[in-house]
Amino acid sequence: MTDKEYLRNLRIPTPENPLRVLTSACLIGTQCGANGTSYGEYPSVVKLTHYKNILITPFCPEHFSFGTPREMCDIYGGDGFDVLNGKVKVITESGIDWTDGMIKASEKMLEVARNANIELAVMMDVSAACGSQVIYNGNRFAPTPVHQIGMGVCAAQLTLNGFKVISQRDFESLEILYSKLDANHLINPDAKDHDQNEWVLNYFKK
C-alpha cells in the first residue's frame, strides 16, 4: 500500500526546482529488460516525462549487475526484505544464485537515489528487483506460478532507507502526483492503486 498522505504533502515543484523522481529505466522506454526490450509501453509513467517541473533519474538495477539481455529471476520463499536480511535467495530461471548481485544492484540504486536526492521512486511492479506491491514467490515460469504481496530487493532497500516507492500500476497515487505537477489536473476519482485491483483482491482473498 502506498503512502498517499506523503504524496499529498509533496511540495509544489517548479521548473527551477523540479520534483526529483527515480524510475525503473524500462518504464520510460529504455531497452534494459531481460529480453532486451522495455517490456512494452507505460503511459502512466511516460506521462511524467512531459512535465517541465520534474527531474527524472532512470536506473535499471538488474542491468547494472547482470547486463542486458539476461535471464529472469525471482525471490524464493520470501520478499526483498528477507533477501537483504540473508534469509532467502534470488534465483534465475535456470537455477543460478543471483542473490549477491541483486543486493549489489540494490546498493547501487540506493546510491543513485541519494546522489539525486530523490523525493519519490516509481518502479516496475512484480520485478524481483523493483516490485513494490506484488512479486512472485519462486519461479514465475512454474506450471502454477505463485504471487505474494511484497517488495523486490531494490524497492526494499530504498524503503529501508526512507524513500517512498510506488509502482506504474498505482494509478490513484499517480493521479495525486500529476496534480502536484499540474495545478489544473483533475484527479480521476475512479483511479485505483495496484492493491485495489480486482485481480489482486480476488487472488489474495484466499
Side-chain angles (χ1 to χ4, degrees):
M1 182 178 296
T2 65
D3 189 342
K4 296 182 186 65
E5 193 62 25
Y6 173 82
L7 295 171
R8 293 187 184 99
N9 289 323
L10 281 172
R11 64 186 177 86
I12 303 300
T14 65
E16 296 74 29
N17 187 16
L19 191 71
R20 300 177 299 275
V21 175
L22 174 68
T23 67
S24 299
C26 60
L27 292 176
I28 58 170
T30 304
Q31 295 185 332
C32 56
N35 61 0
T37 74
S38 63
Y39 299 131
E41 297 181 355
Y42 300 92
S44 62
V45 181
V46 172
K47 180 175 181 174
L48 297 175
T49 66
H50 299 155
Y51 295 103
K52 298 184 183 300
N53 54 350
I54 188 171
L55 179 62
I56 293 177
T57 299
F59 181 70
C60 177
E62 290 189 45
H63 173 77
F64 170 78
S65 277
F66 311 115
T68 302
R70 60 186 174 275
E71 288 193 75
M72 299 290 280
C73 64
D74 290 298
I75 301 171
Y76 283 65
D79 62 12
F81 295 103
D82 296 318
V83 174
L84 294 173
N85 288 330
K87 296 179 179 178
V88 301
K89 295 184 179 297
V90 179
I91 307 294
T92 71
E93 58 195 278
S94 69
I96 301 172
D97 186 342
W98 272 8
T99 306
D100 289 345
M102 188 66 86
I103 291 173
K104 289 177 181 177
S106 76
E107 292 168 347
K108 182 63 178 179
M109 196 164 205
L110 176 61
E111 178 186 333
V112 170
R114 285 173 168 167
N115 288 343
N117 195 22
I118 69 156
E119 298 164 89
L120 181 69
V122 183
M123 297 170 66
M124 169 68 85
D125 210 22
V126 185
S127 161
C130 297
S132 64
Q133 297 279 355
V134 173
I135 57 175
Y136 286 97
N137 187 349
N139 188 355
R140 67 184 62 202
F141 300 114
T144 307
V146 177
H147 294 83
Q148 61 176 317
I149 294 172
M151 289 188 168
V153 181
C154 300
Q157 182 75 265
L158 291 179
T159 299
L160 284 172
N161 285 277
F163 294 103
K164 300 296 184 179
V165 180
I166 66 175
S167 88
Q168 84 281 11
R169 295 190 179 99
D170 286 322
F171 299 116
E172 182 182 357
S173 292
L174 285 163
E175 286 288 317
I176 298 171
L177 183 58
Y178 303 149
S179 72
K180 288 292 180 176
L181 297 166
D182 178 6
N184 295 316
H185 177 77
L186 297 177
I187 291 179
N188 177 3
D190 297 322
K192 297 179 180 180
D193 276 356
H194 197 187
D195 63 316
Q196 292 300 310
N197 179 281
E198 184 176 352
W199 176 87
V200 173
L201 294 174
N202 288 334
Y203 183 88
F204 289 108
K205 70 180 180 182
K206 63 186 182 182

